[in-house]
Amino acid sequence: MNGEDLFTLKTIVSTNPSHPQEVIGRVARADTDAAERSIVVAAQALADWRATAPEERAAFLFRAAEKMREQRLTLAAWEVLEAGKPWREADADVCEAIDYLNYYGQEMLRLAAPRQLGDYPGEVNTYCYQPRGIAVVIAPWNFPLAILTGMTAAALVAGNTVIMKPAEQTSVIAAQLMEIFRGVGLPPGVLAYLPGIGEEVGEYLVGHPRTNVIAFTGSLAVGLHINESAAKTGASQHGIKKIIAELGGKNAIIVDDDADLDEAVLGTVQSAFGYAGQKCSACSRVIVLEHVYEQFLSRLIEATRSLSVGPAEQPHTRVPPLIDEEAHQRVRAAIDTAKREGRVVLEMEAPIEGHFVGPVIVTDVSPQSVTAQEEIFGPVLAVLKVRDFDEALSVALGTRYALTGGLFSRSPAHIERARQEFRVGNLYLNRKITGALVGRQPFGGLGLSGMGSKAGGADYLLQFLEARVVTENTLRRGFAPKQEGNHG
Ligand code: NDP
């Protein structure tokens, strides 16, 4: 904070989900006093940072991207160890973080030039953007570098000063990001790294009257709570807080009766069980037309059986452990519920040490069951049988969430209907539903999956800015520019 390292008596101990005895790092645990200081520092740094040319602000992002590229494998290694991400996915997360830095840097250059509106004799109208002020970034652990980097970079380059509160589980990776920003010479005070407990420091920052914008990615429950608390406007507050919230999903893939089953099975397995289903975009419901149901199900079970469940650092691992013991217990409880509500047709074994849960496939659950409605955030997939395409669409859309969705079909008419009617934030046709790329598949949900514009898309940066219009009457009368020797 403000260019200084602060030490606290209490610490957060970060451990390896594959080997919980292994300590990855200890970081300071900020309390509300530290959170207050971070706000004071951010407020002091704001005027200079806001006045820094957008090109200069963007240059910090480009340099950070360069540094990150140099450290690509090291950062991925931290993710393998601290977040339990298999190598390929860890590397993809680092690459996504690099993409965010470059993309938002470029976007700021695009938005920076003031625009002249219309062409009216005697009048000049200019439209320009200014930062909102102090931004609080609250991130999840599941894309520990990419999401934190994306939200932070967007807020910074737009000219806001930023307080970054990472998820407890991945505080060490977040510290690496802070080091990268320090390494490129970001002025002290512009960015604070504030590791701590969400309910304590997160809550404090969200409620603080000086906070102007909150960028949150995480669960629906916490997102709704933040939205409510930030809506309360204190007497000393000078603005209404802007909330950007990317939340959960209960994503479905539809398998049509003419789908290429080789592709459909592969796409479903990757979408449901990659990173043990711990992705907001993960498939947790596959809706299959009855004509191909039996064939698809038996092949799905066999393909899933071939996945290797194990420690993240093993190159062949496809299903790593869950992030922590709390997640482990929550997912085990969801599996018990699934057993009561339906028929578990596959429950794979998993190592005892570590927070492992093997892939689970459950059938014969009602579309309204808890299993088919609530986000589980683990390797649990519900398979639902439907009569026809109409019913498939209605089941797919029958949840409160609307983040990602997919369709495997060879019917041009059904593909077109899905384009029109399968209203989710990100729809994927004939491919897996995870792995959105910055700029190519801007990402974000509808319904209770979030509010705000898509991350990695052309509208995202605007959320951290506010527009101003200046109108000047250029038909000046009765005065002249001040000149040397003219004291009139
Ligand atoms: P959580 O909502 O539990 O936590 C997210 C962040 O919020 C953490 O930094 C947490 O801190 C903090 N937090 C917790 N309570 C509060 C509070 N009262 N006030 C302020 N901050 C608080 O989510 P997870 O980290 O478990 O992430 C998983 C969830 O994120 C899933 O639901 C997933 O779908 C969603 N997600 C959505 C994405 C999207 O783009 N739509 C992308 C990725 C994930 P602490 O760590 O201390 O608890």
Side-chain angles (χ1 to χ4, degrees), residues 138-143 147 165-169 196-199 202-203 206 216-220 222 225-226 246-249 280 375 377 403 443 449:
I138 302 179
W141 46 264
N142 65 335
F143 292 92
I147 291 181
K165 151 57 192 118
E168 279 162 65
Q169 296 91 335
I197 309 296
E199 283 119 337
E203 189 86 29
V206 165
F216 171 78
T217 305
S219 61
L220 174 63
V222 176
H225 172 70
I226 287 178
E246 302 287 346
L247 309 173
C280 50
E375 185 181 53
F377 229 57
L403 187 51
F443 188 79
S449 290

Side-chain angles (χ1 to χ4, degrees), residues 253-482:
I253 290 177
I254 297 176
V255 180
D256 206 352
D257 53 11
D258 63 356
D260 178 336
L261 292 190
D262 289 342
E263 296 285 322
V265 166
L266 186 67
T268 305
V269 167
Q270 287 175 339
S271 306
F273 301 120
Y275 193 36
Q278 301 174 106
K279 299 180 188 177
C280 50
S281 53
C283 170
S284 59
R285 300 177 298 151
V286 58
I287 301 164
V288 190
L289 272 76
E290 61 185 6
H291 180 65
V292 289
Y293 179 82
E294 292 304 335
Q295 204 187 349
F296 174 82
L297 181 62
S298 60
R299 290 176 64 175
L300 176 74
I301 293 171
E302 290 316 311
T304 306
R305 254 194 243 285
S306 73
L307 297 175
S308 137
V309 185
E313 73 276 9
Q314 299 288 345
H316 54 83
T317 290
R318 290 290 169 272
V319 184
L322 298 179
I323 189 72
D324 57 20
E325 187 48 34
E326 206 182 310
H328 187 248
Q329 283 178 16
R330 199 172 27 76
V331 173
R332 291 251 48 114
I335 294 169
D336 290 343
T337 304
K339 284 178 179 167
R340 283 195 301 277
E341 292 184 326
R343 193 161 63 91
V344 169
V345 292
L346 178 72
E347 187 172 11
M348 283 175 66
E349 303 240 314
I352 306 289
E353 192 219 351
H355 315 298
F356 290 95
V357 171
V360 170
I361 297 178
V362 53
T363 63
D364 301 340
V365 285
S366 138
Q368 300 314 321
S369 61
V370 173
T371 305
Q373 289 288 327
E374 300 296 327
E375 185 181 53
I376 297 174
F377 229 57
V380 182
L381 176 65
V383 190
L384 300 137
K385 180 158 59 170
V386 291
R387 281 186 313 279
D388 54 26
F389 195 67
D390 283 332
E391 191 184 352
L393 274 177
S394 132
V395 170
L397 292 171
T399 74
R400 303 188 299 164
Y401 295 106
L403 187 51
T404 64
L407 167 66
F408 284 92
S409 175
R410 283 193 278 215
S411 152
H414 285 176
I415 289 176
E416 189 48 35
R417 273 195 68 191
R419 275 183 193 278
Q420 302 294 333
E421 297 174 36
F422 199 162
R423 289 191 193 85
V424 289
N426 287 67
L427 178 67
Y428 297 93
L429 304 170
N430 289 315
R431 55 151 281 179
K432 65 176 179 158
I433 66 170
T434 53
L437 296 173
V438 173
R440 214 159 105 190
Q441 289 109 16
F443 188 79
L446 316 176
L448 288 186
S449 290
M451 56 188 209
S453 309
K454 292 192 179 305
D459 305 326
Y460 190 74
L461 223 52
L462 293 175
Q463 305 173 108
F464 295 88
L465 294 161
E466 48 197 5
R468 288 199 303 131
V469 172
V470 178
T471 298
E472 183 182 0
N473 175 4
T474 51
L475 287 179
R476 290 183 181 138
R477 282 177 299 261
F479 66 92
K482 218 174 191 178

Side-chain angles (χ1 to χ4, degrees), residues 8-26:
T8 56
L9 284 177
K10 289 186 186 158
T11 53
I12 293 172
V13 180
S14 177
T15 55
N16 181 342
S18 305
H19 310 285
Q21 307 310 323
E22 188 176 276
V23 172
I24 299 302
R26 290 172 212 278

